[in-house]
Amino acid sequence: MGVAAQDRAPSAPSIVDVTRPSAARIYDWYLDGVHNYAIDREFGERVVRLWPHVKGVARQNRDFLRRLVVNALDAGVRQFLDLGSGVPTVGNVHEIVRDHLPAGERAAVVYVDYEHVAAAHARVLLEEDGATGWAGVVQADLRDPMAVFGHETSRALLDRGQPICVMLIAVLHFVGGADNVPNLLADYARRLAPGSWLGLSHIASDEADPADQAAVEAFRKAYDNTSNPLWVRDRAEISGWFAGLDGWRLVDPGVAHLIDWRPDRPVTPADRALRPFAWCGAAEKLG
């Protein structure tokens, strides 16, 4: 019999605020992880009642991350920068790379998250996996590319003269307001070498029916009471982000729903029910 999640939850470091829900820890709960606290579980249970599809969409996002990493590896990319990586859960980037990297080749992975608890648990995971020689953690705000790339861990592990796959999986819907997403993406893009990839996924409802759109809006409003307000965007806006990257091209199939981006297994009826709730895509920097 498994141990109850609340009995396995990490002790909270003194600098971690456990009086407000955290987006990273809530996402961990959506994925049935254990690095979350009572406040996060209470919030998660409440929003699942508002929008029952949220856990399924989180799992589809995780599967998109896996396919993105594998396809970038197949394209020759050997360095990965996971922005807003969150707390460790099943199927982390370094695990995917380790399982798919051709024999005799080397790779590098850098995780970035601003939350202390996320960074701390990621470091422990890498130590337990014996991966600290080629994978590391940067505690920084993804909205500050200079801090991300200037961190000693990034400088030690990433060669910016070689292609890097930058990943923003289910995180840009927490960037908005005074923050300019197109400018942020352009800032990362200009720092990357030709052959680099940039992949992202984002919550959506523009192709959902009215009832589901209302449920997503209720879900969005629930995040107003957390430290991470949430934005819902449509396909046109996300396509515009990619179109604004000079010298980049979308890789097939372009901006698509999660299950339609290079699927590697049969699509089930349960998959199709979740189709309208996210957009994703990846682009490659041309030489």
Side-chain angles (χ1 to χ4, degrees), residues 65-135:
L65 178 146
R66 177 186 59 79
R67 299 195 310 276
L68 176 63
V69 171
V70 171
N71 278 272
L73 282 168
D74 289 344
V77 179
R78 296 294 181 263
Q79 302 183 103
F80 296 85
L81 181 63
D82 187 359
L83 299 172
S85 54
V87 297
T89 188
V90 176
N92 296 289
V93 174
H94 76 280
E95 296 167 332
I96 302 166
V97 171
R98 183 183 57 206
D99 291 344
H100 292 86
L101 187 70
E105 296 195 23
R106 291 184 58 82
V109 176
V110 173
Y111 295 105
V112 178
D113 203 283
Y114 80 98
E115 274 208 26
H116 176 86
V117 70
H121 284 288
R123 291 189 183 100
V124 170
L125 175 66
L126 294 179
E127 291 170 1
E128 291 175 345
D129 282 358
T132 54
W134 60 280

Side-chain angles (χ1 to χ4, degrees), residues 167-178:
M167 294 168 289
L168 298 115
I169 308 303
V171 70
L172 285 176
H173 43 239
F174 297 115
V175 181

